[in-house]
Structures are given as C-alpha cells and as structure tokens.
Amino acid sequence: MAANIEQFEDGTAAFFSNREVAWHKLGTVTDKALNAEDALKTAQLDSIVKVSEESIYTKVDGKEIGLPKKFLTYRDHPKKGLSALGVVGTRYTPIQNLEAFEFLNHIADETGAAFETAGSLGNGARVFMTMKFPESMALAGGQDVIDNYIMAVNSHDGSSAFIVAVTPIRAVCTNTVRLALAQAKSKISLKHTAGATQKVQQARETLGVVFAYQAAFEAEVEAMLSVKVTDAQYKKFVEAVIPEPKKKDPSDRQLNSVEKKRGELMALWNAPTQQNVAGTAWAAYNAVAEWADWVKPIRGAEGKEDLRSERMLFGGAEKLKARAQLLLSK
C-alpha cells in the first residue's frame, strides 16, 4: 500500500493529485485544479463519520467487560463498507471532511492556491489535503527555488486536532524544508466552525500564519546562505549530526551503521542538488534534509517506501532537521 494510502479492492485509492504525482508516488493525475468538495469526491473521502451509540465492550469467558466512557468512530464507505476508525471519549464530535476542509476554498479564492493532493491514511482515520501557492520563493539569486505548500489534516480517531501546516518544498530535490523559526510558527490547530463568516476568518488566520512564516523562512535561508562552510567544517558537522554510539562497547554493526550514514551525508555535500548553494550552511542543512527524506533507512520488513512517503508528508524527520539547523546556527 503506497505511502500507507488507503486502497480499495477495485484498485482505486483514496488519493487525488493535480498535474503531477505528489510525494506519495500514487495518485490520479488531473489537468485542472479542483475545489475542496471535488477533491474529496475524487479521492473518495466524502463518507460520513459517526460515533457509536453504545460504549465499547466485549465478552470474555461468557462475561461482558467494557470501557463505559469510550466509543467507536466509524464510517460506511461505498467500497469498503462499515469500518471502525478509532476510539474516542464522551465529548468527541466528529468533524466531517467537507466541513473541515471547506475553508480552504477561501484560501484558493484569495491567493490562487491550487488543490494539489487529498488522501486518507490507513483505514481512513486520518485525512489530509495539500495546496500549492502560485508564487515560489527564489533564493540564492534565483538559483534555489522553494515551492510553497500548506497541508491540512483531519483526524477521525481522536489522535489530534484539525491541523494546518506550512510545508516548504525545495524544488531541486523535493526535500521538505520546514525550518524551526523562533519568530514564526509553521503549524496551527483550528477549531471546528460551522458558519461561513467563521470559515472566512479561519482562512485569513491561516494566511496570516503562512505569510509570516514565509517571510521569516526567507530571511533565515538568506542568513544561512551567507555562512560559508568548508569541507572540514562540514565533516565535523556530520559527526555531530550522526554521533558515535552511546554504548561503552558498541558492536561492529553499530559502528558500521554510523560510518555508513556519515558516508552518505558526506556524498550529499557534493551532490548536484547542492551545486547552486555549495559551500554554505544552507547546503549543509539541505544535505541532511535530503538524506532524511530520501536516504535514511526505514525500519520494518515491508512497506519501507510507503513509510518514507508518509514520513515526508507528516514531517517525521523534523527532529533531525531541527538538530542540524541548531548545529549550523552555533
């Protein structure tokens, strides 16, 4: 199952992609941007989510046991039928996908942003949508282009709030380069609102976060571009990013793993993707970002590329990237 994208028995998938196959390497290519409603229908994500009326219980040795204040969220999908999504408490109210993502239409109207992807992960418990803004950031004298995206995620299992995140993508290598910035936040949690006026306000609040982050991001990258990094300095940086094993007597396997990772990072320092920004702190950061997104080993026997795609989409390597950014700021 590519990228943990939900798939159906007839070979279709809960995923929509506009103009190009996105990070997940799976999707339906279209020749025009769609609104939120059409994107959800195309990705087969317009089923209604409900909460069970009875709390969760089962029988053990002929006796009923249960969780009196825990309930199932579920949906009745036209292709997959009735399926459970998660366990929630008494105060949980599901936010339907159309209600959750409708405010993105206002962002599209105000900025010209296009709906790029929509999909559900696993059994439909998490649903995401991404939009791409029409204008990119041209850095390093126009030699390094950053495409501006936002991603919205709706959860039906009570695991998280409705989240919108700014997601910059470096065009030359499709790395996710969401920098940690003290003066601007990259993610916000939005409350469910029903009225049209409130949805417009949500859109404006989101755009405020996006524009503030983009301005701070551009300033941070320009600062990193001004910092020169020698080969020797980069080597020390790599050794700090991938430290020696913590164990007093590490095994040969552990030592070989460290050496392999460091070797991969050293190779990326001189890779074609760093050519236009070579010898700078920005190049050093992007070598780590590229390694984290595309090279870093994935645990598990099966579906490794699927997990890699999901990690890229949801920022699973952000801690490593933040660490690299912090080291480069010292």
Side-chain angles (χ1 to χ4, degrees):
M1 184 180 294
N4 199 25
I5 295 291
E6 185 179 19
Q7 294 187 329
F8 308 120
E9 291 182 359
D10 63 359
T12 59
F15 185 80
F16 149 83
S17 179
N18 181 36
R19 291 189 302 279
E20 60 183 0
V21 178
W23 304 296
H24 322 282
K25 312 300 181 190
L26 175 70
T28 304
V29 178
T30 68
D31 59 359
K32 60 182 179 180
L34 307 176
N35 58 29
E37 295 88 334
D38 287 341
L40 288 170
K41 289 179 181 178
T42 302
Q44 305 173 77
L45 296 171
D46 50 351
S47 297
I48 300 299
V49 175
K50 299 180 180 180
V51 180
S52 63
E53 294 183 1
E54 295 184 2
S55 61
I56 298 172
Y57 70 92
T58 188
K59 285 188 176 182
V60 178
D61 296 331
K63 297 180 180 179
E64 286 190 0
I65 58 173
L67 299 170
K69 295 184 179 181
K70 297 294 181 180
F71 301 83
L72 279 180
T73 53
Y74 68 96
R75 69 174 184 184
D76 192 358
H77 194 276
K79 290 187 176 180
K80 298 193 74 172
L82 205 61
S83 59
L85 303 177
V87 177
V88 298
T90 56
R91 299 175 62 183
Y92 181 83
T93 300
I95 303 176
Q96 304 304 329
N97 293 329
L98 179 56
E99 295 177 77
F101 295 113
E102 189 177 18
F103 84 101
L104 295 176
N105 291 335
H106 298 290
I107 292 179
D109 291 341
E110 289 194 31
T111 67
F115 292 91
E116 280 275 319
T117 58
S120 64
L121 295 172
N123 64 348
R126 284 191 299 172
V127 176
F128 66 88
M129 189 172 288
T130 65
M131 300 180 75
K132 183 180 181 181
F133 287 87
E135 295 183 359
S136 301
M137 286 183 277
L139 306 171
Q143 297 299 306
D144 204 27
V145 176
I146 306 295
D147 292 325
N148 295 309
Y149 289 83
I150 60 170
M151 177 185 67
V153 182
N154 190 26
S155 166
H156 294 304
D157 59 2
S159 61
S160 66
F162 182 75
I163 296 172
V164 180
V166 187
T167 308
I169 303 294
R170 189 168 179 242
V172 69
C173 51
T174 60
N175 294 340
T176 304
V177 287
R178 190 184 294 135
L179 294 174
L181 303 173
Q183 63 272 43
K185 56 186 178 181
S186 63
K187 297 180 183 180
I188 55 173
S189 297
L190 297 177
K191 295 181 179 179
H192 171 53
T193 58
T197 301
Q198 288 82 359
K199 290 185 182 298
V200 171
Q201 183 58 38
Q202 276 190 337
R204 289 175 178 169
E205 180 185 352
T206 301
L207 286 175
V209 170
V210 170
F211 295 148
Y213 182 83
Q214 288 174 352
F217 178 92
E218 189 167 358
E220 178 71 9
V221 173
E222 292 294 350
M224 295 175 77
L225 283 165
S226 69
V227 177
K228 301 304 178 184
V229 178
T230 66
D231 291 349
Q233 289 171 328
Y234 179 75
K235 184 175 184 294
K236 290 184 178 180
F237 164 71
V238 167
E239 290 170 352
V241 171
I242 309 295
E244 295 288 342
K246 293 182 180 180
K247 290 184 178 181
K248 185 177 180 180
D249 296 310
S251 65
D252 289 342
R253 181 179 179 182
Q254 290 172 321
L255 292 172
N256 290 337
S257 176
V258 168
E259 184 178 352
K260 181 176 183 294
K261 292 173 183 177
R262 288 176 174 178
E264 291 166 346
L265 281 170
M266 291 303 299
L268 287 169
W269 174 238
N270 296 310
T273 46
Q274 319 312 337
Q275 183 177 355
N276 292 333
V277 295
T280 66
W282 179 236
Y285 172 83
N286 273 286
V288 173
E290 187 169 350
W291 182 80
D293 283 351
W294 296 105
V295 183
K296 183 182 178 183
I298 301 291
R299 293 181 179 179
E302 297 181 359
K304 291 186 178 182
E305 291 309 310
D306 305 351
L307 293 172
R308 184 182 302 281
S309 297
E310 185 176 346
R311 184 173 70 182
M312 290 170 64
L313 179 64
F314 287 97
E318 282 188 9
K319 287 185 178 180
L320 177 64
K321 295 177 186 179
R323 183 181 177 190
Q325 183 186 349
L326 180 62
L327 288 168
L328 290 166
S329 67
K330 293 181 178 180

